[in-house]
Amino acid sequence: KSASVTSISTAIQRLLVMILLTMVPVMVIAVPADFDRYDPSISIEQFITKTKVNANGSYEEIQELTQVVNLQPGVDLLGQEDFSYNSSLETLEVLEAYTILPDGKKIMVQPNAIRTVEDSVAQGAAMFSDVKHKIVVFSNVMVGAKTYVKTKRVNHTPLIPGQYMERVSMNPGLEYKYYLQELEHDPAIKIYVYADRFKGGRLPDGSGGQVRYRYEYKQDIAKLFAAEVPGVTYTEDVDALIQIGRRVLRRKFADADIGLSGVNFAVAET
């Protein structure tokens, strides 16, 4: 899904260390190079994020996410969305959510299908009770359907006053038809923006002097395989793309110096 990617380039890691040491407000936007985890069951049709940062580091963020179910495993993946937030520092509101059926019919998510729950780590512990989750449950999700959700996150209390930090990374195993990141901030706070493999940059300042940035990204898995995997020609056939992904993974496993596997519970009989 749209889960964050744990592996980022060494250059970005160094940049994050520098940020932590100097406490410089920053936004990092990056795309990991590894695409071995290709998942053809879903794709991102459109992902739009618009953020406005205030002088004290608080911010407002509007996100719109449209995803497509390409194969049967994607039905379970897109059956619900989970948005976490810290209830003592911010609010999170689901503005709109619905399923678009293959015939174009729109099935709205009803209010009772949007739940607020505690983080599973909390288990009643006061020190973790601020972490909440908004669970959005979609109905009639099937192959060929799309899910859409629009959220509004308002951070009213910065963790560190006068500081803002955000890292955005694309999942290399998903196809992004279109991704848009817009950032606008008060000129009183200096935010340094680092972008890797995104098109865009700084825009003319707003009417009130606001500093503005705009970045776009597209990831076509078919073009990526054709460009990066030797002997592969461009194809949009999903089954063919799956086989290419499997072949790449098998090669990675075969060439690895060491392999680890594990199970939760096993019984051997002789």
Side-chain angles (χ1 to χ4, degrees):
K1 297 176 75 173
S2 56
S4 61
V5 181
T6 56
S7 61
I8 56 177
S9 67
T10 302
I12 299 174
Q13 291 176 0
R14 291 174 179 171
L15 180 61
L16 291 177
V17 171
M18 180 190 73
I19 293 162
L20 293 175
L21 292 175
T22 61
M23 297 307 296
V24 176
V26 69
M27 170 176 277
V28 179
I29 309 175
V31 183
D34 183 9
F35 59 87
D36 294 343
R37 291 164 288 181
Y38 172 50
D39 183 357
S41 63
I42 64 172
S43 58
I44 309 297
E45 182 174 275
Q46 182 173 268
F47 193 178
I48 298 175
T49 302
K50 298 183 178 181
T51 308
K52 295 182 179 180
V53 183
N54 303 312
N56 67 346
S58 62
Y59 64 89
E60 176 183 299
E61 179 184 86
I62 303 291
Q63 280 194 337
E64 295 181 72
L65 174 62
T66 304
Q67 302 181 91
V68 184
V69 181
N70 299 319
L71 299 171
Q72 188 60 37
V75 173
D76 292 334
L77 290 175
L78 298 187
Q80 68 178 38
E81 284 290 338
D82 181 344
F83 301 92
S84 64
Y85 66 102
N86 188 313
S87 60
S88 66
L89 303 178
E90 58 191 1
T91 61
L92 180 67
E93 181 182 0
V94 178
L95 301 178
E96 191 176 18
Y98 51 79
T99 304
I100 304 175
L101 302 182
D103 62 4
K105 183 179 179 181
K106 185 184 296 185
I107 308 295
M108 303 300 298
V109 173
Q110 299 304 310
N112 61 2
I114 302 175
R115 307 192 308 270
T116 302
V117 300
E118 281 195 359
D119 192 275
S120 59
V121 177
Q123 296 182 344
M127 65 181 297
F128 295 114
S129 61
D130 291 341
V131 180
K132 309 291 184 184
H133 293 258
K134 289 280 188 183
I135 307 297
V136 181
V137 180
F138 296 92
S139 61
N140 298 83
V141 178
M142 62 186 71
V143 175
K146 302 177 183 179
T147 61
Y148 169 87
V149 60
K150 182 177 183 179
T151 60
K152 179 180 180 180
R153 183 186 302 268
V154 178
N155 175 274
H156 51 76
T157 306
L159 188 61
I160 302 176
Q163 301 293 326
Y164 171 81
M165 180 175 176
E166 182 70 26
R167 178 177 70 87
V168 179
S169 59
M170 302 295 98
N171 187 332
L174 290 180
E175 182 173 20
Y176 290 79
K177 299 293 182 65
Y178 182 69
Y179 177 86
L180 172 66
Q181 175 81 46
E182 289 187 351
L183 171 67
E184 176 182 304
H185 68 83
D186 190 295
I189 182 173
K190 306 298 181 182
I191 298 180
Y192 296 87
V193 178
Y194 174 87
D196 179 29
R197 279 179 280 176
F198 278 72
K199 293 182 179 180
R202 184 166 175 173
L203 300 174
D205 291 349
S207 58
Q210 302 93 335
V211 180
R212 303 188 304 150
Y213 294 87
R214 178 187 175 96
Y215 290 94
E216 296 180 326
Y217 174 73
K218 296 179 181 180
Q219 177 165 281
D220 187 324
I221 292 294
K223 290 182 179 179
L224 182 64
F225 278 174
E228 300 292 340
V229 180
V232 170
T233 56
Y234 180 84
T235 177
E236 295 182 355
D237 183 87
V238 174
D239 290 333
L241 292 172
I242 293 173
Q243 294 305 318
I244 295 169
R246 288 174 175 171
R247 188 167 71 248
V248 171
L249 282 174
R250 290 192 187 103
R251 188 183 310 137
K252 291 288 185 179
F253 284 126
D255 294 341
D257 295 325
I258 188 173
L260 298 175
S261 64
V263 293
N264 293 327
F265 185 79
V267 176
E269 292 185 356
T270 58

